[in-house]
Amino acid sequence: MLKFVKGYMESIEDVATYPMISLLIFFVFFVILFWWVFTASKEHIKEMSEMPLETENQQNLEI
């Protein structure tokens, strides 16, 4: 099975570019995510972290 896949992949021209493109997309995504985490406002982070607790409290009040 592996020989079949290897033989098939060798027949595709410029097949080595696909892993490089995937790595580039992966790297860019995590660099953007890293940048967003360090530039996000503290108020926004606090508000988002308290959302599950607020939803739970609202559900308990409705019952």
Side-chain angles (χ1 to χ4, degrees), residues 25-42:
I25 291 170
F26 178 80
F27 183 74
V28 167
F29 172 77
F30 280 102
V31 165
I32 291 171
L33 188 64
F34 187 76
W35 172 78
W36 180 80
V37 166
F38 281 104
T39 60
S41 68
K42 301 299 178 192

Side-chain angles (χ1 to χ4, degrees), residues 1 7 15-17 19 24-25 28 35 46 50-51 53 56 59:
M1 179 72 177
V15 75
T17 58
L24 181 65
I25 291 170
V28 167
W35 172 78
K46 185 176 180 182
E50 292 175 352
M51 275 181 66
L53 300 174
E56 187 175 296
Q59 289 175 353

Side-chain angles (χ1 to χ4, degrees), residues 1-58:
M1 179 72 177
L2 186 60
K3 289 181 181 182
F4 172 74
V5 172
K6 184 179 177 184
Y8 180 72
M9 295 301 271
E10 287 175 349
S11 68
I12 300 173
E13 291 183 28
D14 298 326
V15 75
T17 58
Y18 298 116
M20 293 303 294
I21 292 170
S22 299
L23 180 64
L24 181 65
I25 291 170
F26 178 80
F27 183 74
V28 167
F29 172 77
F30 280 102
V31 165
I32 291 171
L33 188 64
F34 187 76
W35 172 78
W36 180 80
V37 166
F38 281 104
T39 60
S41 68
K42 301 299 178 192
E43 294 84 24
H44 177 71
I45 293 173
K46 185 176 180 182
E47 181 183 340
M48 292 297 119
S49 68
E50 292 175 352
M51 275 181 66
L53 300 174
E54 291 173 3
T55 305
E56 187 175 296
N57 289 338
Q58 289 175 355

